Amino acid sequence: MKLLKQVILLFIVGSFFWACGASPINNKNIEKEEPVVIANDSLEYEITIIDPGFTYYLNAIAQPEGFYTQDYLETRNRIWVQEWNNRAISSMQFDANIYENIIDYQLYTDYGYEVNYKLFNYFLFAQQKYKMNLGGGFRSNRIN
């Protein structure tokens, strides 16, 4: 009888941990996410990202603002924007549901740190979520 109580207790505790740790992202919270707006008002530049899970990624997984230099972010973004736009243009070869829009990112425009930070992190997020590689050999934190 004592062994049966221990097995039942172990099952209950195991079920609790499994239920709590099954997914670090609560799908109900993702569905309620507000879009992330990437904007620079002085340049009248704005991108709105409505990809479920990105707000969570930006707040919980991404390196904090200031971790990368603006030069580093700009260099990565130039490479990734070019590849993204190539894929958006080639909609017959790539999933048009992912590459819906071309990103207007001008080479010599200073968009500021925040725009570059959020765009960079969106590219990291999208590469992991959609299991794609936009080039540049960068690996980042994994989405669980």
Side-chain angles (χ1 to χ4, degrees):
M1 190 66 166
K2 184 177 179 183
L3 179 62
L4 182 59
K5 286 181 182 179
Q6 288 176 341
V7 170
I8 292 172
L9 180 62
L10 183 60
F11 177 77
I12 293 170
V13 170
S15 297
F16 174 78
F17 283 114
W18 177 80
C20 291
S23 176
I25 301 173
N26 182 337
N27 288 335
K28 289 179 183 174
N29 290 337
I30 287 175
E31 292 170 5
K32 296 176 189 176
E33 278 186 356
E34 292 294 320
V36 173
V37 176
I38 302 173
N40 183 319
D41 293 336
S42 64
L43 297 173
E44 297 181 9
Y45 182 85
E46 182 175 295
I47 298 174
T48 302
I49 298 174
I50 55 172
D51 201 338
F54 180 57
T55 300
Y56 173 82
Y57 179 88
L58 195 59
N59 294 323
I61 298 173
Q63 295 292 348
E65 286 191 42
F67 184 83
Y68 304 104
T69 66
Q70 184 170 332
D71 286 341
Y72 179 80
L73 298 174
E74 289 171 345
T75 300
R76 285 283 156 208
N77 286 341
R78 286 182 193 122
I79 293 166
W80 290 340
V81 164
Q82 182 177 7
E83 182 58 27
W84 182 277
N85 289 344
N86 288 339
R87 293 178 184 196
I89 292 168
S90 305
S91 61
M92 297 298 282
Q93 291 179 302
F94 298 98
D95 187 345
N97 293 319
I98 296 173
Y99 307 99
E100 292 182 27
N101 299 304
I102 290 176
I103 300 170
D104 182 18
Y105 186 90
Q106 301 297 317
L107 193 60
Y108 298 106
T109 300
D110 180 4
Y111 294 102
Y113 189 87
E114 184 178 6
V115 167
N116 280 287
Y117 172 78
K118 288 180 179 176
L119 183 59
F120 171 84
N121 278 293
Y122 179 70
F123 285 133
L124 291 179
F125 167 79
Q127 288 181 87
Q128 293 172 28
K129 181 176 180 179
Y130 300 113
K131 297 176 178 38
M132 68 170 123
N133 184 346
L134 294 173
F138 188 90
R139 300 235 185 253
S140 74
N141 301 330
R142 307 257 323 144
I143 299 175
N144 294 328

